[in-house]
Amino acid sequence: MARRDTAQLAIRLDRQAEAVCKHYLSNGHREGRYWLVGDVQNSPGRSMFVRLTGPETGKGAAGKWTDAATAEHGDLLDVIRESCGLVDFKDVADEARSFLSLPRPEPDPLPRSRPERALAGSPEAARRLFAMAQPITGTVVETHLRKRAITTLHETGALRFHPRCYYRPERHDPTETWPAMIAAVTDLDGVQTGAHRTWLLPDGSDKAPVATPRRAMGNLLGHGVRFGVAQDVLAAGEGIETVLSARSGLPHMPMMAALSAAHLAAIRFPATLRRLYIVRDADPAGDGARDSLIERARGVGIEAVVLSPVLGDFNEDLRQFGIDALRAALRVQILPEDVSRFLAA
């Protein structure tokens, strides 16, 4: 869409600012010259305010909004994009034209229904979040992982970077935005069922100073964040950084992060799997997951081999002792036939 067409579409929405707010920000209400709501995603609250009256353009224009909690701001096209969970601007423009009862520039051969907003925490919301993110190369995510001594970053398409990912401590608390690592959780067929978010400091030096810097959404049980495609051999562990640390020493071995001890114990096995390496965390929860997984694997004829860290987990080992020591420790724990196949030269 040309810039002029976009501007005209925004002005038409601004002329009906209150109607737009009633439709897309239905959890809010009018107070004087403003529409108050929790955030641009239509959460209940009062931190975001939309100007309902004013000139068509410039300072104080109708339709402009600001979120006092996050300092975000925008126009009514942004409201439509975020409240409907849309990614492509063409879909945003089509939705705006539908609301304004305007013809499309080029009619579609088939009628398009209005996109539904994905339920918070649903697999569809997870897929949309991942689609909005970008590859990690050259981003804060890559910086963060390298600061954790993780430099083996091949086959990490399951990881992406979102520069302003929403974070809300509790349901009715103000929304914050932080950079985040977004990880796709997939099933055995590669279908995305969920997502995992790790909020980070803007310089990537550490995790964001929030109460729960890691959160997952969607359907997780049995699935995981995958690095490489498993055939007869797979290594599985809990956390993303733990698994990537083990993969630094075994760069050719397919691995997956189940995201918790309970989910690790319940992972689903590929039909072709013959050997499972369990990337263990050295704590009671890790011991329980290890024991449960060994029993399940052996019950279906899969050989289970435990990989144990010296410290609490393999990322601690990697940062404390270095890659050469980690590689040496893994060499004596994997089976001899897997050394030449998976261990780094």
Side-chain angles (χ1 to χ4, degrees), residues 255-327:
M255 297 193 181
M256 68 170 284
L259 303 178
S260 74
H263 287 102
L264 176 60
I267 62 170
R268 296 177 183 175
F269 305 133
T272 56
L273 191 64
R274 296 294 175 265
R275 183 175 303 124
L276 175 68
Y277 284 101
I278 302 170
V279 182
R280 169 179 167 263
D281 279 9
D283 56 32
D287 293 342
R290 172 201 61 196
D291 296 343
S292 177
L293 205 47
I294 289 174
E295 183 178 354
R296 286 186 56 229
R298 290 176 177 172
V300 293
I302 295 172
E303 182 179 18
V305 180
V306 178
L307 302 179
S308 296
V310 176
L311 302 175
D313 60 48
F314 280 102
N315 188 247
E316 287 188 48
D317 285 8
L318 178 59
R319 287 183 291 136
Q320 181 70 26
F321 306 122
I323 184 61
D324 291 336
L326 176 68
R327 188 178 297 125

Side-chain angles (χ1 to χ4, degrees), residues 24-25 39-42 48 65 72 75-87 92 117-118 128 132 162 164 166:
Y24 295 102
L25 301 175
D39 57 37
V40 73
Q41 293 182 318
N42 194 26
M48 174 178 160
W65 58 269
E72 290 183 286
D75 60 17
L76 293 177
L77 287 171
D78 296 319
V79 167
I80 290 175
R81 184 189 70 238
E82 294 293 337
S83 64
C84 293
L86 301 174
V87 177
V92 177
R117 182 180 181 184
R128 292 185 184 185
M132 287 186 235
H162 195 300
R164 294 175 61 82
Y166 288 120

Side-chain angles (χ1 to χ4, degrees), residues 1 44 72 119 161 173 220 243 272:
M1 176 179 286
E72 290 183 286
L119 293 175
F161 167 63
D173 287 342
L220 310 177
V243 168
T272 56

Side-chain angles (χ1 to χ4, degrees), residues 189-213:
D189 296 321
V191 176
Q192 186 177 353
T193 64
H196 184 270
R197 297 153 291 177
T198 304
W199 284 276
L200 305 170
L201 287 172
D203 64 358
S205 60
D206 206 343
K207 296 177 180 63
V210 295
T212 52

Side-chain angles (χ1 to χ4, degrees), residues 1 24 80 84-99 101-116 124 128:
M1 176 179 286
Y24 295 102
I80 290 175
C84 293
L86 301 174
V87 177
D88 296 330
F89 183 75
K90 180 180 182 300
D91 294 333
V92 177
D94 285 348
E95 174 64 18
R97 288 179 173 278
S98 176
F99 176 83
S101 300
L102 294 175
R104 292 177 180 144
E106 296 181 6
D108 293 333
L110 296 174
R112 296 181 58 177
S113 60
R114 176 187 171 187
E116 297 181 358
E124 179 59 25
R128 292 185 184 185

Side-chain angles (χ1 to χ4, degrees), residues 6 55 84 88 91 119 143 147 208 217 220 239 242 248 268 272 330 335:
T6 302
C84 293
D88 296 330
D91 294 333
L119 293 175
T143 300
K147 284 183 176 293
M217 58 194 295
L220 310 177
T242 296
S248 296
R268 296 177 183 175
T272 56
L330 289 169
L335 297 189

